[in-house]
Amino acid sequence: MVKELISIIVPIYNSARYICECVYSVLEQTYENFELILIDDGSLDESKEICLKLCETDKRIRFFPQEHRGVSAARNTGLKAAEGKYLFYMDSDDIIHPNLLGTLYNELEKTNSIMAVSQFHSIKDVDKREQLTAMPNREKPFFSYIEKSKVIEYFLGGICKEFKALAGKMILRSSVQTYFFDESLSHGEDTKYISDFTEWIRCCHITSRLVFL
């Protein structure tokens, strides 16, 4: 059975310290049919050179350098270049579990949903891996399937504020092709992006597995 292509979009700015670990965590995925889109937003450190070397190691890595225009513009560049059925956004200092792509992909295909969401940890100190916040661990997800009437309340209301971010979300690309990040924003652009298309979401599926770190 043919597995669908997943587009992973990573904006980069002065991320030389983190980007290799981020990329390696993607290359170690058990789900192999993906494209990793790296967008260097005019970094002043060695990020561009590191990305070029990483591209030589795996043909699934695509690299797009651009002048410094901000994280929203970088994500938009990645969105326009994406060819996959599904989108997954990462920051350059994110690390993902080897089963992340496969887990969320299976949930989306099984439920025919527009977006699948995993639990995640936020890390305060990248060296000590000190945990700052975490989604509560549960043996069963608090919602396994959310209908349209509850989507906005869930993602943008007070039920779970962490889900306002892009972290841990895999999205059907065709559902957001007309939605782009607001390039006037350098903070909160991900929340606005989610809110712009949330009203069109028919349902989403949430897995209780911790697959986003």
Side-chain angles (χ1 to χ4, degrees), residues 71-72 75 91 156 161 163-166 180-196:
V71 63
S72 294
R75 285 193 175 125
D91 290 333
L156 301 179
K161 294 181 180 179
F163 279 113
K164 293 181 179 181
L166 282 173
F180 291 92
F181 292 88
D182 187 339
E183 298 188 10
S184 68
L185 298 177
S186 57
H187 298 285
E189 77 289 339
D190 51 352
T191 299
K192 184 176 186 302
Y193 176 75
I194 292 171
S195 67
D196 283 346

Side-chain angles (χ1 to χ4, degrees), residues 173-213:
R173 182 167 65 94
S174 61
S175 69
V176 292
Q177 282 183 328
T178 60
Y179 297 95
F180 291 92
F181 292 88
D182 187 339
E183 298 188 10
S184 68
L185 298 177
S186 57
H187 298 285
E189 77 289 339
D190 51 352
T191 299
K192 184 176 186 302
Y193 176 75
I194 292 171
S195 67
D196 283 346
F197 78 85
T198 295
E199 64 178 284
W200 300 105
I201 291 179
R202 175 168 48 84
C203 59
C204 72
H205 185 83
I206 298 176
T207 176
S208 59
R209 298 180 188 177
L210 178 62
V211 291
F212 187 94
L213 303 176

Side-chain angles (χ1 to χ4, degrees), residues 34-50:
F34 63 80
E35 58 175 359
L36 176 55
I37 301 173
L38 306 178
I39 308 98
D40 181 69
D41 189 44
S43 293
L44 302 176
D45 63 2
E46 297 80 25
S47 293
K48 180 178 179 179
E49 289 73 22
I50 293 172

Side-chain angles (χ1 to χ4, degrees), residues 1 9 45 70 105 117 125 138 160 179 189 192 197-198:
M1 187 166 121
I9 298 173
D45 63 2
Y105 172 83
V117 182
D125 190 300
R138 293 177 169 85
C160 191
Y179 297 95
E189 77 289 339
K192 184 176 186 302
F197 78 85
T198 295

